[in-house]
Amino acid sequence: MPIHKICCIGAGYVGGPTCSVIALKCPDIKVTVVDKSQERIDQWNSEKLPIYEPGLDDVVRQRRGKNLFFSTDIDNAILEADLIFISVNTPTKTFGNGKGRAADLKYVEGAARMIAEVANSSKIVVEKSTVPVRAAESISNILTANTFNKPDVKFQILSNPEFLAEGTAINDLLYADRVLIGGEDSEDGRAAIEELCQVYERWIPRKNILTTNTWSSELSKLAANAFLASRISSINSLSAVCEATGADVSEVARAVGLDSRIGPKFLQASIGFGGSCFQKDILNLVYICEGLNLPEVAAYWQQVIDMNEYQKSRFSAKVIESLFNTVTDKRITLLGFAFKKDTGDTRESPAIHVAKTLLDEGAKLHIYDPKVEHSQILEDLTHPHVTDEPENIRKSITIHSDPYEATNGTHAIVLCTEWDEFITLDYQRIYENMMKPAYVFDGRKILDHEKLQKMGFIVQTIGKRLARNSPHRVWGSKVQS
């Protein structure tokens, strides 16, 4: 039977945009996104959505109240749904077995138990959250064990991982490279796969819909993020070589990227990757490999994480080194706090690492980001994982709503997020109102460094030894003035 009603458990970065696009492209399907958080659901029903994603507001406005609904009535949504997406958070465990690496599946388990308790008819249950390989088997066991007294209720478990990039999620959903659906190799399993395929076929060409067994689908999500992150760590490792030798990492990346076997994407050197997926998924992959007694494979992927941490630490250390080896009581501007442009998400943002390092050294930070809420920045920097002295942190940071206010009277600018806005700022005006010498540390390689140097800025960036315009040691150079 075709799908008429969809329920999505979890109103976050995945569930909200995914179901909004499904509602847009399938106006005859009722799509209900549910969450336990009344505050989050209220935001989805308001003019200011809980997440910033280009194009999302327009899609939600078109379908909300027609065939797209946001609710805390989870039970009713489960009861009437033909298909249920599980789109809950799967964070890295912070305690117990697998601490710091394994995925915490408590929310997935909770969703499965809720479905089993409430459902009184057969359902297709779809993993949308990123989960370890064979998690579908655990979900199936929970559903089966908790519906033994409901003989007419059957479940088919599918894996349908998301491949969205924050900042381009709506475009990724509308024009997906591929939609991956994994399921059981049985008559009922193949039928369930086909039903979900028919939903996506409303706007995705069938040739772009890939069907696999469940385990391949689950592993493919982890593998995709691991491959992308490894490209970033690879080019960042070479950025250190470039600084030491005088090569330019942008030129190296361009030369490498012109090889059709490699391609140019994800070869932009930076202060490191962040976000909710890359680190979490690679750590999960490492944990899986260790559990399968594959230590060499685990070590290989762990190095991707280690290189990312090295890059963030290296950048932070060079900021301090360039500022006469001390930033105590110096006013430093952080431009950007989100982990990447076009999102307000700060999870695993490199800016947090940079800010923590500078604050630990006694700096006074002035922070500006065009989309991250001030309360989120404060929460991130006073989190127990960042500091055990939150009151001192509050005294040492000032969060601004204007970039010119954030840079006024400061000693240095540390650019942490590649917002387009930062390229077009009036840097002559900024220079005139900064302390001298005025420094710019471009952690994203997006500014016109030569132009800034002509204004009088002392400029440092990643992967390139700039012409010396200060009495201090150039990054990577062993020669001092």
Side-chain angles (χ1 to χ4, degrees):
M1 296 293 291
I3 302 298
H4 294 293
K5 294 181 179 180
I6 291 175
C7 164
C8 176
I9 301 176
Y13 277 88
V14 174
T18 299
C19 287
S20 297
V21 169
I22 290 176
L24 178 70
K25 291 299 184 178
C26 307
D28 58 316
I29 296 178
K30 180 182 178 182
V31 182
T32 305
V33 182
V34 295
D35 200 284
K36 289 183 176 180
S37 170
Q38 184 67 59
E39 180 184 6
R40 177 163 285 256
I41 291 300
D42 288 344
Q43 289 175 315
W44 278 108
N45 285 317
S46 72
E47 290 304 305
K48 183 176 174 56
L49 302 183
I51 62 175
Y52 172 72
E53 187 65 45
L56 178 60
D57 284 21
D58 183 55
V59 173
V60 171
R61 276 197 298 267
Q62 286 187 58
R63 302 314 310 172
R64 189 172 57 192
K66 296 174 183 176
N67 70 319
L68 175 63
F69 303 91
F70 298 93
S71 173
T72 55
D73 188 354
I74 302 174
D75 288 4
N76 190 58
I78 291 173
L79 278 170
E80 66 176 21
D82 305 309
L83 181 147
I84 301 171
F85 285 118
I86 296 178
S87 296
V88 296
N89 192 19
T90 53
T92 302
K93 289 184 71 173
T94 57
F95 60 89
N97 188 31
K99 174 184 176 181
R101 294 172 299 168
D104 189 342
L105 298 183
K106 65 181 179 182
Y107 300 115
V108 173
E109 180 181 346
R113 292 186 181 279
M114 200 180 308
I115 294 168
E117 180 181 346
V118 174
N120 59 13
S121 61
S122 297
K123 313 286 183 184
I124 298 174
V125 178
V126 185
E127 294 176 333
K128 202 70 181 166
S129 306
T130 303
V131 293
V133 183
R134 304 198 77 88
E137 190 172 55
S138 299
I139 294 173
S140 179
N141 290 338
I142 291 169
L143 293 172
T144 302
N146 286 277
T147 53
F148 65 90
N149 59 343
K150 302 177 183 179
D152 295 330
V153 177
K154 306 294 182 184
F155 297 99
Q156 276 298 317
I157 316 301
L158 302 181
S159 170
N160 176 218
E162 52 83 18
F163 295 101
L164 310 180
E166 290 182 42
T168 61
I170 299 302
N171 193 70
D172 295 339
L173 286 161
L174 291 172
Y175 309 102
D177 291 335
R178 80 291 201 195
V179 172
L180 181 58
I181 302 173
E184 184 181 294
D185 187 14
S186 66
E187 183 177 349
D188 288 343
R190 289 189 291 272
I193 290 172
E194 182 59 29
E195 289 189 36
L196 184 53
C197 284
Q198 288 178 12
V199 173
Y200 284 113
E201 277 188 273
R202 303 290 192 92
W203 76 97
I204 302 294
R206 184 64 187 230
K207 64 182 177 63
N208 289 358
I209 302 176
L210 176 65
T211 61
T212 69
N213 71 43
T214 311
W215 325 130
S216 295
S217 177
E218 290 176 335
L219 182 57
S220 293
K221 170 61 178 176
L222 298 181
N225 280 342
F227 269 67
L228 293 173
S230 68
R231 287 173 67 92
I232 297 173
S233 283
S234 293
I235 198 66
N236 281 341
S237 72
L238 291 173
S239 72
V241 179
C242 289
E243 291 166 24
T245 60
D248 184 336
V249 73
S250 295
E251 293 177 348
V252 172
R254 182 169 180 269
V256 170
L258 287 172
D259 188 326
S260 61
R261 298 168 299 176
I262 300 173
K265 293 184 178 180
F266 283 77
L267 290 181
Q268 174 66 41
S270 69
I271 54 177
F273 58 75
S276 63
C277 292
F278 282 0
Q279 177 161 312
K280 172 174 72 73
D281 290 354
I282 296 173
L283 288 171
N284 192 358
L285 182 59
V286 169
Y287 182 70
I288 290 169
C289 292
E290 289 177 343
L292 295 172
N293 195 28
L294 300 171
E296 292 82 4
V297 180
Y300 177 85
W301 291 112
Q302 179 63 48
Q303 188 58 35
V304 174
I305 297 293
D306 294 344
M307 181 54 62
N308 194 53
E309 293 302 309
Y310 167 71
Q311 186 76 346
K312 290 185 288 187
S313 298
R314 196 171 70 86
F315 179 76
S316 303
K318 290 299 183 181
V319 171
I320 296 168
E321 176 188 339
S322 298
L323 293 173
F324 305 95
N325 275 320
T326 179
V327 293
T328 303
D329 291 329
K330 286 181 179 174
R331 297 188 297 278
I332 297 176
T333 301
L334 254 62
L335 286 184
F337 202 80
F339 84 91
K340 62 183 285 191
K341 72 174 184 176
D342 294 334
T343 181
D345 195 353
T346 63
R347 286 176 289 181
E348 302 296 341
S349 175
I352 297 174
H353 184 285
V354 174
K356 171 178 168 49
T357 302
L358 295 176
L359 288 167
D360 287 347
E361 292 286 332
K364 306 296 183 182
L365 296 188
H366 294 256
I367 305 169
Y368 169 74
D369 188 285
K371 289 298 178 182
V372 178
E373 298 288 346
H374 291 193
S375 58
Q376 184 63 55
I377 295 174
L378 189 61
E379 180 182 334
D380 287 335
L381 294 183
T382 56
H383 193 279
H385 290 159
V386 175
T387 182
D388 54 7
E389 298 180 329
E391 288 306 316
N392 288 342
I393 295 298
R394 289 188 178 92
K395 295 175 184 177
S396 298
I397 63 174
T398 306
I399 305 170
H400 298 265
S401 299
D402 179 86
Y404 298 103
E405 289 181 3
T407 55
N408 188 38
T410 59
H411 295 80
I413 295 170
V414 181
L415 193 150
C416 293
T417 312
E418 71 279 22
W419 286 103
D420 293 342
E421 173 186 338
F422 297 159
I423 301 173
T424 59
L425 291 176
D426 183 348
Y427 283 95
Q428 185 62 53
R429 171 186 170 187
I430 288 172
Y431 177 76
E432 291 169 359
N433 291 307
M434 286 180 65
M435 300 288 288
K436 307 299 185 298
Y439 292 81
V440 171
F441 300 93
D442 183 0
R444 295 290 181 175
K445 292 181 65 64
I446 62 171
L447 303 180
D448 186 333
H449 303 139
E450 184 176 346
K451 185 177 180 181
L452 291 174
Q453 286 180 314
K454 287 180 179 178
M455 292 178 188
F457 281 106
I458 298 170
V459 182
Q460 303 283 13
T461 190
I462 285 174
K464 183 179 181 181
R465 187 190 296 179
L466 295 172
R468 188 166 56 184
N469 63 343
S470 78
H472 312 303
R473 188 169 69 183
V474 179
W475 291 13
S477 172
K478 295 182 179 178
V479 181
Q480 299 230 18
S481 296

